[in-house]
Every structure is written in C-alpha cells, then in structure tokens.
Amino acid sequence: MHGPHDAAPTGELRHAGSADPPSWFTRGRDRVWLPYAQMKTAPPPLPVVATNGSRIRLADGRELVDGVASWWTACHGYNHPHMRIEIARQLETMPHVMLGGLLHEPAARLAERLAALLPGDLGRVFFSDSGSVAVEVAMKMAVQYWINNGVRGRTKFVAFRGGYHGDTTATMAVCDPDEGMHRLFKGLLPEHLITDLPRDEATTAALDRLLGERADAIAGILVEPLVQGAGGMLFHDAAVLRRLRALADRHGTLLIFDEVFTGFGRTGSMFACDAAGVVPDIVTLGKALSGGTLPLAATVASERVFRAFWSDDPMQALMHGPTFMGNALACAAANASLDLFEREPRLDQVKAIETQMTAGLAPCRGLPNVVDVRVRGAIGVVELSTIDIPRLKARFVAEGVYVRPFGRIVYLTPAFTIGAEDLARLTGAIVTVLSEP
Ligand SMILES: *Cc1c(COP(=O)(O)O)cnc(C)c1O
C-alpha cells in the first residue's frame, strides 16, 4: 500500500554513540538565525542528516519518530518515492519560470485540480510561496473587491481570539492579540476587530452587533475553520462556521477561510470547509499543499470575488505578484501530492490515526497537570495547566521522539502514513514524559 520509504525499520530506534557534531554544524550553527529562538539561551538545534517516512535521522546516528511532520507539512511522510520522482522529472524540464506573462503546465494543472477539489465555485487560484503571503493576498483581494465595487473605506477585518494567520506585518495584525505580537509591534500594525468566535448565543449576538455597527469599515471575516492551529490547537464545531456564513451574508461582507493548516486532510476531510458544509468567498492554502517538500501557497477566490476584478480598467487588476509565484517545481510537487491523495487511502489513514491517538493519549486525562485531551483527525492535543517547555523538549528527544510543545500544549500532527508502532511510540512518550513529577 505504501511506498518503499515506509519499509523503514519499526523496531528499536538506533542509538549510536555520541559522535562529535559534523563540521558543517560547528562552523555554520552560529550563523543561522533560528525561528522563535532566543539565540543566547536556546539549546542548540539538533543536526539532521536525513529523513525517511516518519523518521528524522540525527548526525550521531539516532533516529527520532517525528510527531510534528515539519510544521504540519509532510502529510505523506518524508522522501515519498512518488514525490521524489515527480519533482526530479520537473527539475529536468524546467525548475522555474515566472508567471509574469508566462504559464506552464504544472501551475495550470494544479489550479484546475484545486478548483475541482474545493467546494462551490472556489476556482480562481492565485499562487504564492508562503501561508502568510497567501493570507495577505486574501486580505488585499477583499479590500480591493470593495474598491472595485465602488465602495470606499472597507479596510478592517474581523478575526478571532486564538487565531493565527502568519508572521508578516499584515497577518500579525489579525492574529490573537495576546498570543501574537500586537504589543511588541504596536504602532506598526493596523488595528483590526478581534473578537470571540460565535460559539453560543451571546457571542453570536455580539458578533452580529459588531458587524452591524462597523459594516462600513469591514472588508471581511477571517477564520481558521474547525481548528485554530498555532494559536493553541483550539477546536470549534461546524455550527460556528455556519453562523459565520449566515452573519457574513446578512451583513454583506466576505468570508475568508484560512485553511493553511486544516487543508489537505489534517482534520479528517480534504478541507475543513467540506466537513462544515460551508463555502467561503476566499480560501487560503499552504503547508501540506506541496506534500511537505517545497514552499507553495495559494489564495483561491470564488466567482463573485473574481468578477470584481474582471474589467477593462488595468487599475482594477489584482495588484500582487510574488517573484516565485507558481514555481514549477513546487507545483509539480503539489500535483504529485494530489496524486497520492487519489491513489493512497490518506483520509482513511487520518481516521485510523484519530482512533489510535484518542486511545493512546487517553491515559493523560488522569494526570494532575492535564486540563484537556482532545483529538480531531490527525491532530492530538494535551493541554496542561503549567508547562516547562525546555524540559519537555529534552525529555522527548531522550525518549526517541520529536515533539515540540508550545503555549501550554503538547501536540501531535504526524504524517498520515505513519505506522501504528511509530504512532504508539509518540503517544507512549507523551504519556511517559507527562507522568513524570
Ligand atoms: C502556518 C500558518 C500560516 C502562515 O504560513 P507560513 O507559510 O508560515 O507563512 C497562516 N495561517 C495558518 C492557519 C497557519 O497555520
């Protein structure tokens, strides 16, 4: 069923002796500015020399079972042969050509396939190279949608507490104000309307009021459907999204789903909007879009949105164009990834992961420091009342797994191809480490 990359040994992890770090590591390590890291005090990164399936091999020979899938991207595991072959094939023909005045088959095929997969008439695909930029493009699209329709002053977005939409300045401004970096960058960030998700009658009424009062200023509502990821792996149900659709329609504003995290099976359906039965006006995709191989993102608009840009006036064109947009290698990778969703039982694998994680993480429920255990699709979360992140990170590595807690949560987002034994190692390591005093 899986490719040969899954033939990796599932028995004991190898623990070779502690060889000296490789020279590339000692020479270059202080030159690389790492993400979200206090460079003075953070422990050094782990030198990685290879990946395979759900395993990360370190320079000293140890192999870690990967619980993160490289920020949720590597849905087919690492080094899937079909991904490798298709990317190599594209490399031979044409690694990249700009989309300025040119078009190539990988981008055209990918756009056609995404349009066919997405619900409703979401089918006008604007490519970019990161999730943050895809969200920025969605925001520009929404603002210009109103301008092109002759409506001025609609430049604010309604977004939600617990949300995360990226690290660029426009997207930071629509992240959760406490989790995000609003305070640090006050003065740089435009102010948007960040409020509670309409989970019940009171919050729905409050949002209804806000949309009514600020209708003339609001360009759109921006939400991560079903699961708010980097803001804390917070779940909400489909009814919340149906309320958002109804409220957006009542107040005549645009609804944007940021599916950079939830897209491509992570929550159990191909897209979260499928499970919710709600069609947004714009959707953003990224992360697993290229199967965890090359940077690629997309902003997909409905006909209603696209039509606002369809005119004889050049100033009514969408004013955006990343240098590497629609990169041919990345689009070939995304096409190969979609092939795998067709040929291999990815959504069944997500179901099996959900079942196994639910059972495997259940023992955490009784632990004194645990406030919640939740699983949806291939996302497993243990929420703690207090957390010692550096200690946990080190203990997980010692247990032979790569798990990266943040905020007050320990979570798993494994590759969908992970074997049952490797997944048991991940959940077992979490139970073991969280059971320690
Ligand atoms: C990761 C993420 C982004 C940002 O994507 P980058 O590729 O890191 O820029 C945006 N929205 C959501 C929901 C994400 O999970």
Side-chain angles (χ1 to χ4, degrees):
M1 179 168 71
H2 314 306
H5 74 301
D6 279 328
T10 48
E12 275 311 295
L13 299 176
R14 285 185 293 135
H15 285 268
S18 55
D20 287 337
S23 69
W24 60 258
F25 184 78
T26 40
R27 290 206 314 272
R29 150 189 159 185
D30 291 339
R31 295 284 163 206
V32 180
W33 200 330
L34 296 165
Y36 308 114
Q38 172 45 261
M39 295 298 288
K40 183 176 176 187
T41 56
L46 303 169
V48 176
V49 292
T51 53
N52 189 32
S54 279
R55 305 285 186 95
I56 294 173
R57 176 138 41 92
L58 304 182
D60 63 9
R62 280 179 297 167
E63 237 175 49
L64 304 180
V65 177
D66 184 8
V68 186
S70 286
W71 274 328
W72 327 329
T73 61
C75 53
H76 312 292
Y78 298 112
N79 308 39
H80 193 292
H82 183 64
M83 301 294 304
R84 288 205 315 254
I85 289 165
E86 290 301 308
I87 294 167
R89 195 201 307 279
Q90 188 58 43
L91 183 61
E92 292 297 314
T93 328
M94 179 179 65
H96 175 69
V97 67
M98 67 175 181
L99 288 200
L102 305 170
L103 181 61
H104 51 73
E105 183 179 357
R109 278 192 63 220
L110 180 58
E112 184 191 354
R113 293 172 85 178
L114 290 174
L117 280 170
L118 286 162
D121 65 359
L122 288 163
R124 303 291 186 160
V125 183
F126 190 94
F127 289 112
S128 55
D129 29 38
S130 79
S132 303
V133 172
V135 173
E136 293 229 19
V137 169
M139 294 169 75
K140 282 175 73 171
M141 235 179 223
V143 168
Q144 206 181 339
Y145 167 89
W146 292 110
I147 295 169
N148 286 359
N149 275 310
V151 181
R152 294 273 150 181
R154 283 188 174 238
T155 56
K156 302 275 178 217
F157 288 87
V158 172
F160 299 97
R161 292 207 174 84
Y164 174 83
H165 300 286
D167 284 354
T168 57
T169 44
T171 58
M172 268 197 294
V174 283
C175 291
D176 183 292
D178 299 323
E179 293 288 321
M181 290 156 274
H182 289 222
R183 236 177 328 229
L184 187 57
F185 293 106
K186 204 171 163 49
L188 173 65
L189 304 187
E191 284 187 20
H192 294 289
L193 307 161
I194 316 288
T195 185
D196 292 318
L197 281 168
R199 289 177 190 270
D200 54 23
E201 250 176 71
T203 46
T204 305
L207 181 57
D208 192 19
R209 226 173 308 122
L210 176 70
L211 289 166
E213 286 165 7
R214 304 298 305 274
D216 294 346
I218 294 170
I221 301 171
L222 175 60
V223 69
E224 295 162 270
L226 296 185
V227 181
Q228 294 176 301
M233 299 287 170
L234 305 164
F235 300 172
H236 56 262
D237 57 31
V240 167
L241 303 173
R242 288 193 285 272
R243 282 179 209 124
L244 287 177
R245 181 71 270 180
L247 287 170
D249 290 343
R250 175 167 340 141
H251 295 283
T253 195
L254 296 175
L255 181 60
I256 304 168
F257 279 3
D258 179 357
E259 294 230 29
V260 168
F261 173 43
T262 54
F264 305 100
R266 184 53 68 183
T267 69
S269 51
M270 195 61 176
F271 301 102
C273 57
D274 296 334
V278 173
V279 184
D281 302 298
I282 301 172
V283 67
T284 57
L285 304 171
K287 289 208 164 85
L289 171 58
S290 65
T293 56
L294 288 147
L296 185 67
T299 309
V300 188
S302 64
E303 282 306 303
R304 170 192 172 191
V305 171
F306 182 76
R307 244 181 293 119
F309 295 80
W310 182 265
S311 116
D312 296 319
D313 181 355
M315 288 312 291
Q316 291 199 329
L318 179 62
M319 290 302 174
H320 207 92
T323 304
F324 280 100
M325 76 180 288
N327 174 262
L329 280 176
C331 288
N335 278 310
S337 178
L338 293 183
D339 294 344
L340 290 174
F341 274 99
E342 289 168 9
R343 294 177 197 171
E344 298 187 3
R346 287 290 174 271
L347 298 186
D348 295 340
Q349 290 168 324
V350 171
K351 252 260 116 4
I353 289 169
E354 181 175 53
T355 304
Q356 190 182 335
M357 280 202 299
T358 303
L361 294 176
C364 293
R365 268 182 213 286
L367 301 176
N369 193 21
V370 170
V371 294
D372 191 30
V373 178
R374 52 183 181 270
V375 176
R376 175 170 289 169
I379 306 166
V381 186
V382 181
E383 190 173 326
L384 307 173
S385 50
T386 59
I387 193 164
D388 179 351
I389 288 177
R391 184 190 86 84
L392 290 180
K393 280 182 178 169
R395 283 291 297 120
F396 286 130
V397 171
E399 291 290 317
V401 299
Y402 196 66
V403 176
R404 216 180 127 83
F406 70 90
R408 278 188 293 104
I409 65 166
V410 174
Y411 76 95
L412 295 175
T413 50
F416 303 160
T417 51
I418 191 169
E421 280 183 46
D422 273 5
L423 186 55
R425 272 179 190 279
L426 289 170
T427 56
I430 289 179
V431 174
T432 300
V433 170
L434 295 187
S435 299
E436 294 164 357

